[in-house]
Structure formats: structure tokens, C-alpha cells
Amino acid sequence: MWQRIQTVFLLFAIISLIAAILFPIWVHETADQTHKLFAFHYSISGQNPTYFPYAITAILAIASITLSIIEIGKYKNRMLQMKLGALNSLFLAGTILSAFLFSNQLTKEFQGGQFGLGLWLPGIAVICNLLANRFIRRDEKIVRDSNRLR
């Protein structure tokens, strides 16, 4: 299981999504306040954070992490792995879309701000997930070709 390259790519996807949850998605600093958007919440310095609707990004990222872990464990059933990889791609797309929409909304509201690392890390997870799916398909093709030769 661990010697397969798709497991390594899925592990990189998990690590990048965990980092995306921890790093800010968007930051805007003024003279007296700092506005930060994280995957779980939006916070203004000195005030309580706002969780809804911003936590949708974290929920989708956690769902994608969970699917990646399950996908690693299903190494004996490649067809199920491919289906889980396709579902994981949808969750990753939702994570990127929600992070982008929330940060874009705040950028328009405050006429500025900087995009943080939390916005770009899910893109790395998408690439890793696509590569893992490619290698899973390649393994399935090798197994089918070897069964046909018998």
C-alpha cells in the first residue's frame, strides 16, 4: 500500500489540505484593524470570529481529507478508488470555489487585500488527486492486460 505512488500523491493532497485549513485565505490590514479569512472563520482583530457561512470551505476540505484517507485504505479495490477519486475531485473543486468566492467578496467589500497561502494550497491537492487517479487507472489497466494474456 505505501510503496504505491498514488498513495504518496494522496498523502501530499491530505497534507496540503490540512495546511490550507490552517493558513489564511485572505488578509486585509488597515491602520487599526486586521481582517483575516480562514477556512473555518472570518475574523477582525479584537472581535469574535464569524463562522457561518465561511466554515463551508473547511467542511469541504475536511470531507476531501476524509475521502483521501478512505481512498488510501481501499488499495485492493481499484474501481472503488477511481470512483472515490472522482468524488474527491468534486469536493476539492467545491473547496477552491468557496474559498475564491468568499475571498473575492471580501476583496470587493474592502477594495483590496492579499490572497493568502490557504487559497492556493487546495490547487496542489487537486493536482495530487489527479495524478493519483491517473496512476490508479494505470494499475487497473496493467492488471486487466495481464488477465487477458492468461
Side-chain angles (χ1 to χ4, degrees), residues 20-90:
I21 290 173
L22 299 175
F23 286 108
I25 296 171
W26 176 85
V27 178
H28 179 71
E29 295 181 9
T30 60
D32 56 342
Q33 288 183 334
T34 301
H35 302 264
K36 289 185 179 181
L37 174 64
F38 289 90
F40 276 111
H41 60 84
Y42 167 65
S43 63
I44 302 171
S45 58
Q47 296 181 10
N48 290 333
T50 305
Y51 293 98
F52 185 76
Y54 304 107
I56 292 171
T57 306
I59 291 168
L60 290 170
I62 291 170
S64 181
I65 290 169
T66 305
L67 274 175
S68 294
I69 292 170
I70 293 170
E71 192 175 348
I72 289 172
K74 299 293 181 184
Y75 64 93
K76 291 183 181 179
N77 190 347
R78 285 175 296 280
M79 293 305 290
L80 180 60
Q81 265 189 326
M82 286 190 280
K83 291 175 186 175
L84 288 174
L87 181 62
N88 198 5
S89 295
L90 292 175

Side-chain angles (χ1 to χ4, degrees), residues 74-142:
K74 299 293 181 184
Y75 64 93
K76 291 183 181 179
N77 190 347
R78 285 175 296 280
M79 293 305 290
L80 180 60
Q81 265 189 326
M82 286 190 280
K83 291 175 186 175
L84 288 174
L87 181 62
N88 198 5
S89 295
L90 292 175
F91 280 116
L92 286 168
T95 302
I96 292 173
L97 183 67
S98 66
F100 177 75
L101 289 176
F102 290 139
S103 63
N104 195 27
Q105 171 194 5
L106 291 171
T107 300
K108 287 179 183 176
E109 184 178 332
F110 293 103
Q111 285 85 31
Q114 296 178 338
F115 295 117
L117 195 57
L119 182 67
W120 307 113
L121 285 172
I124 294 171
V126 167
I127 293 169
C128 289
N129 186 51
L130 291 174
L131 287 171
N133 290 341
R134 179 175 177 242
F135 284 107
I136 292 168
R137 278 193 306 272
R138 188 189 75 179
D139 281 356
E140 180 64 22
K141 184 179 182 294
I142 290 170

